[in-house]
Amino acid sequence: MTTILETMGKPPIAVTGAADHAQEFAEVASRYRPHIFRFLLSSMRDPDAAETLTQDCLLKAHVNWASFRGESSVLTWLLRIAINLQKDAWRSRRLQFWKTTHQNAVDSTEAANWLASGESSPEQQTLARDQVRLVWKAVKGLSERQRTVFMLRHVEEMDLGEIAVAMNLSEGTVKSHLSRAMIQVRKELGGKR
Amino acid sequence: MSFKKSPDEIHQTEDPQVEAALRHFRASVHSWGEDEFARARVIRPRSRASRFLQMPMLNWGVAVAIAVSGVIVPMEVRHQHQVTAAQQAATEQRQLAAQAATQMAQITPSANMTDEELLSHVDTDIAQAAPDAMEPLASLMNESTAR
């Protein structure tokens, strides 16, 4: 029997009952919560704000779970909700949200300290940390859309079609934002290309 | 046929340094995300006030209501003042007119008075209107009239 987690889609409502729906959603939430949290954390660099919006996202997804038809993957759908919630948060509480997020935001230098334990020598670690710091510096200078596209592409490793669906943009617009973001990143990393 | 590379193609043929930086960046964000996700965090329940403040339509409604009432209430108060003042002025005018009519009625002798009554009325009015300085003369006149 294939489950929703195996298919990344959703079985027809007719063949599932309310209890199955709850079970399905519990599985979806436990599986994708870290992804949503990570995306929001990388976008805002504020763990508390990321956690709050992750909760809001799962709550909204739970409420609308019955209306999800599986036209996109579950993760794309959840990230779309997260992106919209983030936008709403910027808009509706712009001043307060900016204020608290900036107060709680982890500095890009500090954020660069998290490194996967793949680097063998201290020199390699220093080089990697420096590169990460420069990417963070470039990301800080991006517009909200460019940053979101960049994070979805290079952190969440989504393809352009999925990003377009998640952000409700055309693929051409996504390409344009990504291209501009990459110009900034390359510029920061040494002005190459 | 286009020779322009798409960002996907560009990504695939990225500079090795940029590619390495992006790989490190991804690994760093994943590591940070896992670390923060594993950390116990207390979620503060939102107060009713903050929920209320997060409803943009409601906020706009309240703002419009405040703006409208800010304009309408002073106008209404002013209008009420004007109406009250007009009513008071009309009442005062009516009272003055009534007083004047009463005074006129007292002063004006009625048409069915006899000549003697009229003279007596005039005498009384004159006597009443005599100033203090003329009081001795008036008393003399009364005495002479009595004789």
Side-chain angles (χ1 to χ4, degrees), chain B residues 44-79:
Chain B
R44 285 185 298 272
R46 288 185 195 159
S47 66
R48 282 187 176 194
S50 66
R51 277 184 200 166
F52 175 78
L53 288 170
Q54 279 173 22
M55 297 178 194
M57 290 301 288
L58 202 60
N59 289 349
W60 275 108
V62 170
V64 168
I66 289 168
V68 168
S69 60
V71 174
I72 287 177
V73 167
M75 280 172 65
E76 182 61 26
V77 168
R78 196 176 166 200
H79 177 69

Side-chain angles (χ1 to χ4, degrees), chain A residues 37-38 47-48 51-52 56 106 111 114 119 131-132 135-136 150 153-155 157 182 186 189 192, chain B residues 7-8 10-11 14-15 17 21-22 24-30 32-33 35-37 41 43 46 54:
Chain A
F37 175 77
R38 186 177 62 208
D48 289 340
E51 181 63 46
T52 306
D56 288 352
V106 173
W114 274 275
E119 312 312 318
Q131 284 177 332
V132 173
V135 176
W136 268 120
F150 179 82
R153 181 76 189 97
H154 291 291
V155 176
E157 297 178 277
M182 284 309 296
R186 281 187 215 108
L189 286 168
K192 292 187 179 178
Chain B
D8 269 353
I10 290 166
H11 180 64
E14 198 67 78
D15 184 306
Q17 189 203 350
L22 291 173
H24 288 137
F25 180 73
R26 180 163 49 248
S28 169
V29 173
H30 282 218
W32 182 29
D35 197 38
E36 288 290 350
F37 188 75
R41 194 171 289 110
I43 304 291
R46 288 185 195 159
Q54 279 173 22

Side-chain angles (χ1 to χ4, degrees), chain A residues 9 40 56 60 65-66 84 94 99 105 112 124 128 150 170-171 175 183 187 189:
Chain A
L40 291 167
D56 288 352
K60 201 166 182 182
W65 182 238
N84 286 334
R94 190 164 289 180
K99 204 177 160 188
Q124 280 181 323
F150 179 82
S170 70
E171 246 185 83
K175 278 181 189 176
I183 287 168
K187 200 171 150 188
L189 286 168

